[in-house]
Amino acid sequence: LKVQEINSSQNAVIKRIRSLDNRAARKECGLFLLEGKKLIEEAQANKIDLIDIVTTREFLEEELTDQLPLANLDHVSVVSDQLFKTLYTTTTSCGIVASAVQPTAHLSPLLEKENVLLVIGEEVQDPGNLGTIVRNCLAFGVDALILSKGSVDCYSPKVVRSAMGALFALPVVQEVDLEDCLKEIRKKRIAPLALDANGQTLYWQANFSTSVALIFGNEGRGLCQATLDGADSVLSIPIAQKCESLNIGVSVGIILAHIDREKRM
Amino acid sequence: LKVQEINSSQNAVIKRIRSLDNRAARKECGLFLLEGKKLIEEAQANKIDLIDIVTTREFLEEELTDQLPLANLDHVSVVSDQLFKTLYTTTTSCGIVASAVQPTAHLSPLLEKENVLLVIGEEVQDPGNLGTIVRNCLAFGVDALILSKGSVDCYSPKVVRSAMGALFALPVVQEVDLEDCLKEIRKKRIAPLALDANGQTLYWQANFSTSVALIFGNEGRGLCQATLDGADSVLSIPIAQKCESLNIGVSVGIILAHIDREKRM
């Protein structure tokens, strides 16, 4: 293990890691931030390329021992606790952070798959919800998650934390023009099914046995009218009248679990 | 509308509202904090008693007009923006806060109901997850949510916000001794069904047509062994191997949606 000591807050590694809290900076360099041992281990297990790894002296001595998976790191930078404090976005220190290369996924080959299951988010805003949806997608065999322009960046530190490693194994295509994407999907005979509280089709009455793209909307506004109009069916999950709504992460989870259950039965 | 001006941070109303961020203080006075117009309106709609209502001058003049539901408030205290900043727990100002009486629910009468559906949480820690589960319970006709000792307080400001009003309509019984509770439930012939990632029964194979108590555990540790041993069945939701776990709010939502669907079909 090669250990480099960094003392300056103006060091290029420090500056790069600190920039990863910003969406434009992440896009520019194609990297994202991993916070804590568990996420870094899972990234390694999924062959995500790590660029910088920065830790505290204490973490290096106590945790980066031979017995641990992280021991196969080949280089690490050590900084003071004070400097390390400027690198993480959580409330308490995670001891180690890394910059990692964002996996790239392309839409076209995914659309050629038989019996494909896609999930499409329109202007999703909440990082916690998006992380939960990433976990749902990986859990229930979704082939790819597609996010429209105007959605939160799935490589923002909050989404990365909330996705708990699921982001490393799920193909995600971002900043998609939804209108173009839906045209493309129709051409490939993938059925666009929208999810909306006022949908006319109870979700268990829909046909999920062919290629399907499940589209869900913004947490507050739902889907825009053009998307609803362009869907083959608009699905709803019936709930008690006195309840205003379900969490969007839960709604998507319920539909995906239902589809998965039909396949397994 | 009676308007009282408060200038001192030592005023009893201010001190009481500020104390509601603390669990022991909430328990002592039996109150909880409502932040923002929407939650206060929903509390009113559900006949939750409001004790103190505090707002800023700007909010009073712009929002508390005759046309709005909140206009049926009979009294309100006005404070400076600076003093108001000490009253809310959100990152941006919500303009109005209230203290409200915690609804009380008792377990015994609930256990007498025919075909009862209970949800029991063991040492739930994350306020956001608990709020999501409260919404799930109300959405899918759960008769009551029971929380063991060691769970997060469902009247903490974060849970209240995340439950989005569902807390005002759902009976919640807190700080329950789980061992005693499970004995009581068995006596009443309510089937305790545990939810665990390693459960031997696929959830759709379970019998939900009788009285059921669905038990879920802590986000990190899951359920303790005694609870698993005491359950009639341990249910699991099958997921892809490469996915570590589902969010607990999603898991509970999937099971409840399945139970509800079976009732509606």
Side-chain angles (χ1 to χ4, degrees):
Chain A
L1 183 69
K2 248 167 58 190
V3 178
Q4 172 200 9
E5 198 142 343
I6 298 179
N7 296 306
S8 163
S9 64
Q10 295 308 305
N11 176 286
V13 171
I14 299 301
K15 282 166 86 175
R16 182 160 53 226
I17 292 210
R18 221 185 278 142
S19 79
L20 298 180
D21 200 17
N22 176 279
R23 181 172 189 158
R26 281 195 301 274
K27 195 177 171 179
E28 167 109 17
C29 63
L31 301 177
F32 68 114
L33 179 67
L34 297 176
E35 301 175 90
K37 195 171 98 179
K38 193 157 190 302
L39 272 183
I40 295 175
E41 281 173 2
E42 292 197 27
Q44 286 183 306
N46 283 281
K47 310 212 182 307
I48 300 283
D49 284 323
L50 304 181
I51 304 299
D52 313 298
I53 301 122
V54 182
T55 182
T56 59
R57 174 67 55 191
E58 191 188 344
F59 191 92
L60 176 72
E61 283 165 4
E62 290 183 6
E63 305 270 355
L64 293 183
T65 59
D66 288 347
Q67 286 76 39
L68 287 156
L70 272 186
N72 64 16
L73 291 175
D74 60 284
H75 66 284
V76 51
S77 304
V78 176
V79 298
S80 68
D81 288 0
Q82 206 182 346
L83 191 48
F84 192 76
K85 272 202 183 101
T86 67
L87 300 182
Y88 58 84
T89 68
T90 46
T91 47
T92 51
S93 174
C94 50
I96 187 164
V97 297
S99 65
V101 178
Q102 296 182 15
T104 46
H106 296 285
L107 200 50
S108 309
L110 291 165
L111 300 185
E112 303 301 331
K113 225 193 123 186
E114 245 177 281
N115 271 321
V116 77
L117 175 57
L118 303 174
V119 170
I120 303 178
E122 180 184 279
E123 300 190 13
V124 196
Q125 287 312 304
D126 185 85
N129 286 343
L130 183 55
T132 300
I133 288 166
V134 169
R135 283 167 79 185
N136 291 343
C137 287
L138 190 66
F140 295 120
V142 168
D143 293 292
L145 172 63
I146 297 166
L147 297 170
S148 78
K149 284 175 187 163
S151 293
V152 61
D153 179 16
C154 82
Y155 294 106
S156 88
K158 271 191 191 171
V159 178
V160 174
R161 283 203 306 275
S162 151
M164 293 177 71
L167 201 50
F168 309 142
L170 179 76
V172 182
V173 185
Q174 297 206 98
E175 297 194 56
V176 165
D177 181 294
L178 207 50
E179 212 186 312
D180 293 349
C181 174
L182 290 179
K183 270 187 210 154
E184 207 50 42
I185 275 171
R186 284 206 163 282
K187 264 194 221 156
K188 302 291 178 184
R189 300 185 171 279
I190 300 168
L193 303 178
L195 180 57
D196 185 86
N198 300 311
Q200 293 296 305
T201 306
L202 297 176
Y203 70 92
W204 60 78
Q205 292 167 344
N207 177 14
F208 295 111
S209 63
T210 58
S211 285
V212 161
L214 178 70
I215 316 169
F216 68 96
N218 175 276
E219 291 88 349
R221 296 187 304 273
L223 286 166
C224 75
Q225 197 56 46
T227 308
L228 291 170
D229 293 344
D232 279 9
S233 315
V234 183
L235 314 181
S236 65
I237 301 168
I239 59 173
Q241 246 185 341
K242 59 186 169 182
C243 186
E244 197 180 279
S245 65
L246 287 170
N247 171 280
I248 187 67
V250 172
S251 299
V252 172
I254 288 169
I255 306 284
L256 293 180
H258 174 75
I259 297 174
D260 193 57
R261 177 179 146 273
E262 285 203 331
K263 283 182 191 159
R264 287 175 190 259
M265 274 177 76
Chain B
L1 181 70
K2 250 168 56 190
V3 178
Q4 174 201 7
E5 199 142 343
I6 299 178
N7 297 305
S8 164
S9 64
Q10 296 306 305
N11 176 287
V13 171
I14 300 299
K15 282 165 86 175
R16 183 161 52 224
I17 292 211
R18 220 184 281 142
S19 78
L20 298 180
D21 199 17
N22 176 278
R23 181 171 191 160
R26 282 196 300 275
K27 195 177 172 180
E28 166 108 18
C29 64
L31 301 177
F32 67 115
L33 179 67
L34 297 176
E35 300 175 90
K37 198 170 96 178
K38 192 154 192 299
L39 271 183
I40 295 174
E41 280 173 3
E42 291 196 29
Q44 285 183 309
N46 283 282
K47 309 214 181 307
I48 300 283
D49 285 323
L50 303 181
I51 303 300
D52 313 299
I53 301 121
V54 182
T55 181
T56 59
R57 174 67 57 192
E58 193 188 343
F59 191 91
L60 176 72
E61 283 165 6
E62 290 182 6
E63 303 270 354
L64 293 183
T65 60
D66 289 349
Q67 286 77 36
L68 288 156
L70 273 185
N72 65 15
L73 291 175
D74 59 285
H75 67 282
V76 51
S77 303
V78 176
V79 298
S80 68
D81 288 0
Q82 205 184 345
L83 192 47
F84 192 76
K85 272 202 183 102
T86 67
L87 300 181
Y88 57 84
T89 68
T90 47
T91 46
T92 51
S93 174
C94 51
I96 187 164
V97 296
S99 65
V101 178
Q102 295 182 14
T104 46
H106 297 285
L107 200 51
S108 309
L110 291 166
L111 300 185
E112 303 301 331
K113 227 193 121 185
E114 246 177 279
N115 270 322
V116 78
L117 175 58
L118 304 174
V119 170
I120 303 179
E122 180 184 279
E123 300 191 14
V124 197
Q125 287 312 303
D126 184 84
N129 285 344
L130 183 54
T132 300
I133 288 167
V134 168
R135 283 168 79 185
N136 290 343
C137 287
L138 190 66
F140 296 119
V142 168
D143 292 293
L145 173 63
I146 298 166
L147 297 171
S148 77
K149 285 176 188 163
S151 293
V152 60
D153 179 15
C154 80
Y155 294 106
S156 88
K158 271 192 191 170
V159 178
V160 173
R161 282 203 306 274
S162 149
M164 293 179 70
L167 201 50
F168 309 142
L170 179 78
V172 182
V173 185
Q174 296 206 99
E175 297 194 55
V176 164
D177 181 294
L178 207 51
E179 210 185 315
D180 292 352
C181 175
L182 289 179
K183 270 187 210 155
E184 206 50 42
I185 275 172
R186 287 205 161 280
K187 265 195 219 155
K188 302 292 177 184
R189 299 183 172 278
I190 300 168
L193 302 179
L195 180 57
D196 185 87
N198 300 312
Q200 293 296 305
T201 306
L202 297 176
Y203 71 93
W204 60 77
Q205 293 167 343
N207 176 15
F208 295 111
S209 64
T210 58
S211 286
V212 161
L214 177 70
I215 317 170
F216 67 97
N218 175 277
E219 290 89 348
R221 294 186 304 272
L223 287 165
C224 75
Q225 196 55 47
T227 308
L228 290 171
D229 292 344
D232 278 9
S233 316
V234 183
L235 313 182
S236 65
I237 301 168
I239 61 173
Q241 245 184 341
K242 59 187 168 181
C243 185
E244 196 180 281
S245 66
L246 287 169
N247 170 282
I248 186 67
V250 172
S251 299
V252 171
I254 288 170
I255 307 285
L256 293 179
H258 173 76
I259 297 174
D260 192 56
R261 177 177 147 274
E262 285 203 331
K263 282 183 189 159
R264 288 175 190 259
M265 275 177 75

